[in-house]
Amino acid sequence: MKEKSGRSTRGGVIFLLVVACLYALAFLIDTELALNALAFSTNLLYQLLPVLLLVFALMLISNFLVKPEWVRANVGKDSGLRGWVVAVVGGILSVGPIYVWYALLRDLKTMGMRTALIAVFLYNRGIKLPLLPLMIHYFGMTYTLVLAIYMTLFSLLSGVLVEKIVEHKPRP
Amino acid sequence: MSMQTSRLHKEQLISSIKKTASMFTGMLPILVGVILLTGLILELIPTDKAASWFGRNTLLDALIGTAVGSISAGHPLTSYVLGGELLENGISLVAVTALLVSWVTVGSIQFPAEALMLGRRFAFYRNLICFGFSILIAVLTVATLRLLG
């Protein structure tokens, strides 16, 4: 596990270096564009700080209080209906961009969280409760409601499919 | 006995803080990379120019809507504004819905981070399935709305 985590950290550093190279290239080609992109990114990072703190707190709680037995019982292979409900509600209620949740999900996965439920959680992040009034304003109540229902239903289907494909082992 | 339990809890807490800090630090390069990439892509592909890409036929528009949503990393609110603008320009509701759904469910820019954290196979198939579902949900939503009148 430690080896896997080390690999993803190394991968992360390589990824950051690749992005830095893209910026260097952008600076050479179009300095204004690169500066605008950098300003946008700095502002985004600043806006994300409260969410990052929340994620850190949740990761700490998960490491300190959540035990693998709890994960297995509530979002594990045998969690049943409860697992699906936890993943749907958790996904809808989670805030901030999707990528800040990857680390927590990886943590829960190592404790036994089901692959399908990770996919369901990630899909339901698409339903943004605080933005629903705005969506209603732009597209109407019926549209918003129908879309939210379809997204929830398809999130379950995506979970089943992703798990089937990812965990499928070809016959020897 | 209770002092021993309290010391054990304290040790567990310190160990949890260390573990969390280490995991968090490991996540930072990926996070900063995705944020920087988002800024660069948004500058390179301004989504407000997207209206000119649509208008051929409904299915192709839905596919373009899904593709635009998939490579967009801005706030979902931007997709509502863009979607509203596209509808006003006569672009089909199927295309706009596909854009709205893929905007929040498919993450091309976040793909490297998702693959590093949750596995390449998981990230690839999840995004591929979400891409297909965006079109399907768009068609079903519009069909349901027609049924409801």
Side-chain angles (χ1 to χ4, degrees), chain B residues 49-122:
Chain B
K49 302 257 182 348
S52 61
W53 304 341
F54 293 89
R56 288 156 189 96
N57 70 60
T58 307
L59 202 64
L60 193 62
D61 279 358
L63 198 64
I64 295 169
T66 307
V68 172
S70 302
I71 55 160
S72 303
H75 197 276
L77 187 58
T78 317
S79 70
Y80 300 167
V81 179
L82 178 64
E85 199 183 305
L86 290 173
L87 276 180
E88 270 183 26
N89 285 319
I91 306 302
S92 71
L93 188 59
V94 173
V96 172
T97 309
L99 176 125
L100 297 180
V101 177
S102 62
W103 193 289
V104 288
T105 57
V106 184
S108 308
I109 298 170
Q110 300 95 323
F111 181 83
E114 186 174 344
L116 279 167
M117 294 284 201
L118 299 169
R120 213 176 307 161
R121 205 169 146 81
F122 174 89

Side-chain angles (χ1 to χ4, degrees), chain A residues 30-77:
Chain A
D30 188 341
T31 313
E32 200 190 334
L33 180 138
L35 284 174
N36 284 344
L38 202 58
F40 176 88
S41 303
T42 315
N43 188 37
L44 185 60
L45 189 62
Y46 183 70
Q47 282 175 21
L48 282 180
L49 283 179
V51 183
L52 287 175
L53 281 177
L54 173 72
V55 171
F56 184 86
L58 287 175
M59 282 169 77
L60 182 61
I61 291 168
S62 137
N63 279 326
F64 183 58
L65 293 177
V66 180
K67 302 286 172 241
E69 302 80 57
W70 186 93
V71 174
R72 278 195 286 270
N74 290 282
V75 283
K77 291 262 179 239

Side-chain angles (χ1 to χ4, degrees), chain A residues 4-5 7-13 15-16 19-20 22-23 26 32-34 36-38 40-42 44-45 48 52-53 55-57 59-61 63-65 67 97-107 109 111 115-116 118-119 122-123 125-128 131-132 134-135 138-139 142-143 146-147 150-151 154-155 157-158 161-162 164-168, chain B residues 8-14 16-44 73-77 79-81 83-84 87 93 96-98 100-101 104-105 107 109-119 121-123 125-127 129-130 133-134 136-138 140-142 144-145 148:
Chain A
K4 211 172 185 179
S5 150
R7 214 185 304 154
S8 81
T9 307
R10 224 180 4 258
V13 173
F15 171 59
L16 184 58
V19 176
L22 287 176
Y23 263 84
E32 200 190 334
L33 180 138
N36 284 344
L38 202 58
F40 176 88
S41 303
T42 315
L44 185 60
L45 189 62
L48 282 180
L52 287 175
L53 281 177
V55 171
F56 184 86
M59 282 169 77
L60 182 61
I61 291 168
N63 279 326
F64 183 58
L65 293 177
K67 302 286 172 241
I98 201 165
Y99 42 86
V100 298
W101 293 94
Y102 294 152
L104 179 68
L105 291 171
R106 183 182 63 177
D107 200 18
K109 191 182 169 191
M111 288 197 237
T115 305
I118 296 178
L122 291 174
Y123 202 100
R125 292 197 25 70
I127 302 169
K128 311 272 181 200
L131 294 182
L132 282 187
L134 276 167
M135 198 179 211
Y138 275 105
F139 303 99
T142 318
Y143 175 88
V146 170
L147 184 60
Y150 273 126
M151 283 182 73
F154 273 84
S155 76
L157 199 56
S158 83
L161 283 175
V162 170
K164 271 206 185 305
I165 295 170
V166 171
E167 292 182 1
H168 171 75
Chain B
L8 193 70
H9 277 164
K10 204 176 161 186
E11 277 170 14
Q12 274 179 343
L13 181 64
I14 292 168
S16 298
I17 292 172
K18 279 183 185 168
K19 190 182 167 197
T20 309
S22 152
M23 284 170 66
F24 204 74
T25 319
M27 183 186 94
L28 279 180
I30 301 171
L31 192 78
V32 174
V34 169
I35 291 172
L36 285 170
L37 196 60
T38 304
L40 199 58
I41 296 217
L42 283 179
E43 278 299 315
L44 285 170
H75 197 276
L77 187 58
S79 70
Y80 300 167
V81 179
L87 276 180
L93 188 59
V96 172
T97 309
L100 297 180
V101 177
V104 288
T105 57
I109 298 170
Q110 300 95 323
F111 181 83
E114 186 174 344
L116 279 167
M117 294 284 201
L118 299 169
R121 205 169 146 81
F122 174 89
Y125 285 110
R126 193 192 73 79
N127 280 288
I129 287 167
C130 290
F133 278 3
S134 298
L136 208 55
I137 290 176
L140 284 170
T141 301
V142 174
T144 308
L145 287 172
L148 293 172

